[in-house]
Amino acid sequence: MQLTLDQAINLALKQNHSVHLRSLSVEQMQSKKDEARSNFLPQIKTSGSVLHVTELEGVAIPAGAFGSYPSTGPVPSKPLSIDQGSATWYTGE
């Protein structure tokens, strides 16, 4: 097998493990440099959450729970149901 000088150099570089390791080291240093550059720039971070409740609680107030007065009658005059809370909450930071 006859090789030209350029072919022999290329073959030697491909098969030389120390040269290959050095090229990987150069790529690693380039990645570290890029990471340091990106950390230099301002960063914006955000987070959020959603909570969905499938069953809401409520307060039931029976008629006359607050008394019965001659001028107004029972307070409240009929049973009341007051919902508490909301089905879905959103938070963001």
Side-chain angles (χ1 to χ4, degrees):
M1 175 177 183
Q2 291 185 351
L3 298 173
T4 65
L5 180 58
D6 289 334
Q7 290 173 334
I9 291 172
N10 286 336
L11 183 61
L13 290 175
K14 285 181 185 176
Q15 293 182 352
N16 190 333
H17 293 293
S18 63
V19 171
H20 181 66
L21 291 175
R22 291 287 180 188
S23 68
L24 291 177
S25 175
V26 169
E27 290 175 14
Q28 181 183 20
M29 288 299 167
Q30 182 64 37
S31 295
K32 286 183 181 180
K33 186 173 99 176
D34 292 342
E35 181 182 354
R37 183 181 298 136
S38 70
N39 288 333
F40 176 74
L41 300 173
Q43 297 179 4
I44 297 175
K45 296 180 181 180
T46 184
S47 66
S49 64
V50 175
L51 173 66
H52 181 73
V53 179
T54 57
E55 187 174 332
L56 296 176
E57 291 293 322
V59 175
I61 302 173
F66 299 120
S68 182
Y69 304 98
S71 60
T72 60
V75 176
S77 60
K78 58 183 180 179
L80 292 176
S81 178
I82 302 172
D83 290 331
Q84 287 185 321
S86 175
T88 306
W89 292 280
Y90 303 96
T91 62
E93 298 176 13

